Amino acid sequence: MNAEYATYRCSVVICSHTPRRQVLQRTVDALRSQSLPVESWELLVIDNNSVPPIQDWLDLSWHPYARFIEERRPGLTPARLCGIRASDAPLLVFVDDDNLLAPDYLTSAVTIADDYSFLVSPYGKMVQLPDGTVLMAVYFEFFDQRGNESYVFRSRDGGQSWGEPALL
């Protein structure tokens, strides 16, 4: 881990190949609205052979720890592996280039990772708002490494506190 970045709580990794500009911009705008301070997370945009290159048009100057990384091998798997190698944080949050995260998504992910470190593989739940906007909401499912047990954490008050895990 790079000592300069050792204080990151999480790395947000967006893998993309020639995205629709407006869609990726909305994804980044949603990240910009996160309640977790930008000093607590890094943003990695993995450009998977986009034409034109994403860094030629996407402005990440608002984030002090944002990086564009080029991955020439085609496909989501090489792009994600590139993001994993480049990450300097203990928690990885993969965000598709067309997802809009709820404003407390990163804060919730970090809180759950801290409180339940034995769990792996968080997932968000898609929620459609009355205006048609689709967000990744503050619902998480975790699957542990001890078999098929799964735990569900559901926000009781909009993501401010979390219930105890319930075995499904």
Side-chain angles (χ1 to χ4, degrees), residues 26 100 127-135:
R26 286 184 65 200
L100 302 177
V127 174
Q128 186 166 7
L129 302 178
D131 69 0
T133 302
V134 177
L135 295 175

Side-chain angles (χ1 to χ4, degrees), residues 97-108:
D97 62 5
D98 61 352
N99 284 164
L100 302 177
L101 299 188
D104 64 346
Y105 189 94
L106 295 180
T107 299
S108 299

Side-chain angles (χ1 to χ4, degrees), residues 34-35 100-112 122-129 134-142 152-163:
Q34 289 297 301
S35 60
L100 302 177
L101 299 188
D104 64 346
Y105 189 94
L106 295 180
T107 299
S108 299
V110 166
T111 299
I112 289 174
Y123 294 88
K125 180 178 179 181
M126 301 298 290
V127 174
Q128 186 166 7
L129 302 178
V134 177
L135 295 175
M136 292 295 288
V138 291
Y139 294 91
F140 294 85
E141 292 182 346
F142 291 82
V152 177
F153 296 83
R154 299 204 187 277
S155 171
R156 287 185 285 201
D157 58 0
Q160 299 304 309
S161 64
W162 293 88

Side-chain angles (χ1 to χ4, degrees), residues 2 19-20 27 29 35 49 77 86 91 108 135 140 146 162 168:
N2 185 333
R20 292 178 292 164
T27 298
D29 289 345
S35 60
N49 283 321
T77 298
L91 176 64
S108 299
L135 295 175
F140 294 85
R146 299 178 297 223
W162 293 88
L168 294 180

Side-chain angles (χ1 to χ4, degrees), residues 15 23 45 53 78 125 161:
C15 301
V23 174
V45 176
K125 180 178 179 181
S161 64

Side-chain angles (χ1 to χ4, degrees), residues 10-160:
C10 67
S11 294
V12 174
V13 180
I14 301 174
C15 301
S16 192
H17 169 73
T18 312
R20 292 178 292 164
R21 289 182 185 200
Q22 288 180 322
V23 174
L24 180 56
Q25 186 62 59
R26 286 184 65 200
T27 298
V28 170
D29 289 345
L31 286 170
R32 192 173 187 169
S33 299
Q34 289 297 301
S35 60
L36 187 67
V38 293
E39 296 79 21
S40 298
W41 55 282
E42 68 177 336
L43 175 57
L44 306 176
V45 176
I46 312 302
D47 187 340
N48 199 208
N49 283 321
S50 295
V51 178
I54 296 170
Q55 81 177 51
D56 287 358
W57 55 268
L58 184 64
D59 180 18
L60 298 180
S61 62
W62 58 272
H63 197 296
Y65 305 113
R67 294 186 275 157
F68 291 99
I69 302 169
E70 186 177 356
E71 173 54 62
R72 293 198 173 274
R73 291 173 294 165
L76 184 57
T77 298
R80 284 189 173 171
L81 290 173
C82 176
I84 291 168
R85 285 189 303 273
S87 171
D88 284 314
L91 176 64
L92 291 168
V93 178
F94 290 99
V95 178
D96 288 347
D97 62 5
D98 61 352
N99 284 164
L100 302 177
L101 299 188
D104 64 346
Y105 189 94
L106 295 180
T107 299
S108 299
V110 166
T111 299
I112 289 174
D114 287 349
D115 292 347
Y116 300 96
S117 61
F118 64 94
L119 300 172
V120 297
S121 301
Y123 294 88
K125 180 178 179 181
M126 301 298 290
V127 174
Q128 186 166 7
L129 302 178
D131 69 0
T133 302
V134 177
L135 295 175
M136 292 295 288
V138 291
Y139 294 91
F140 294 85
E141 292 182 346
F142 291 82
F143 301 90
D144 74 10
Q145 296 175 338
R146 299 178 297 223
N148 295 324
E149 297 173 334
S150 61
Y151 300 87
V152 177
F153 296 83
R154 299 204 187 277
S155 171
R156 287 185 285 201
D157 58 0
Q160 299 304 309

